[in-house]
Amino acid sequence: MFQSAKRFLYAAVCGLIISAIFCGCGGGTSTSLIPDIDGRVEIAKIVVELPSGSDGTLRPGESLKLTASAFDKANKPVAGVAFTWRSSNPAVAEVDQTGLVRAKSPGVADITASAAGVVSAPRRLTVESEEDVPPPPPSPR
């Protein structure tokens, strides 16, 4: 009895998803995901990206916001994923659970995001001391 109810629910969910795809409901970017029999979508990979224009170099006291994206086996985005963030060297750069990185002291830190047992490739950040940063060019006269 339980198995037949589970199959019915699965068929109903798949039918709704297929209807949404063919009706074009929702507009915008399509992230059509077909769940497995238990209604879960398996995450195959996670990608961590720097903000536009950043090369991953910071000075102590500066911060930047990383973004993480999860993808399924078909390389389609998985929406609604809660990521766990980690810094390999919190003394250099710490990261909170929203992906906000705060540079603390000179050195290198690798930042990763994880979800459902999948860990991203590390995103390397470098924190330079003030002495490491070249001075701005002189202003034209």
Side-chain angles (χ1 to χ4, degrees):
M1 170 92 169
F2 179 72
Q3 284 295 86
S4 64
K6 195 173 184 180
R7 284 191 185 113
F8 174 77
L9 181 60
Y10 180 71
V13 169
C14 287
L16 287 172
I17 291 171
I18 291 169
S19 295
I21 292 168
F22 287 115
C23 291
C25 302
T29 303
S30 173
T31 56
S32 54
L33 302 172
I34 306 299
D36 66 11
I37 193 88
D38 293 326
R40 294 173 292 154
V41 175
E42 187 174 328
I43 295 173
K45 74 175 180 178
I46 297 172
V47 176
V48 173
E49 296 183 45
L50 293 166
S52 178
S54 174
D55 66 355
T57 302
L58 299 165
R59 294 184 202 156
E62 293 181 336
S63 62
L64 62 77
K65 177 86 157 110
L66 297 173
T67 56
S69 302
F71 299 89
D72 66 10
K73 292 180 200 175
N75 207 32
K76 292 184 181 175
V78 178
V81 176
F83 298 102
T84 300
W85 293 88
R86 183 181 167 279
S87 171
S88 67
N89 194 348
V92 170
E94 61 185 13
V95 61
D96 70 14
Q97 291 309 301
T98 67
L100 181 65
V101 176
R102 288 181 185 86
K104 297 180 79 179
S105 63
V108 174
D110 291 326
I111 308 296
T112 56
S114 63
V118 178
V119 180
S120 70
R123 174 61 68 183
R124 177 149 292 181
L125 299 179
T126 302
V127 178
E128 296 181 338
S129 66
E130 293 296 324
E131 296 82 43
D132 293 338
V133 180
S139 59
R141 296 186 187 223

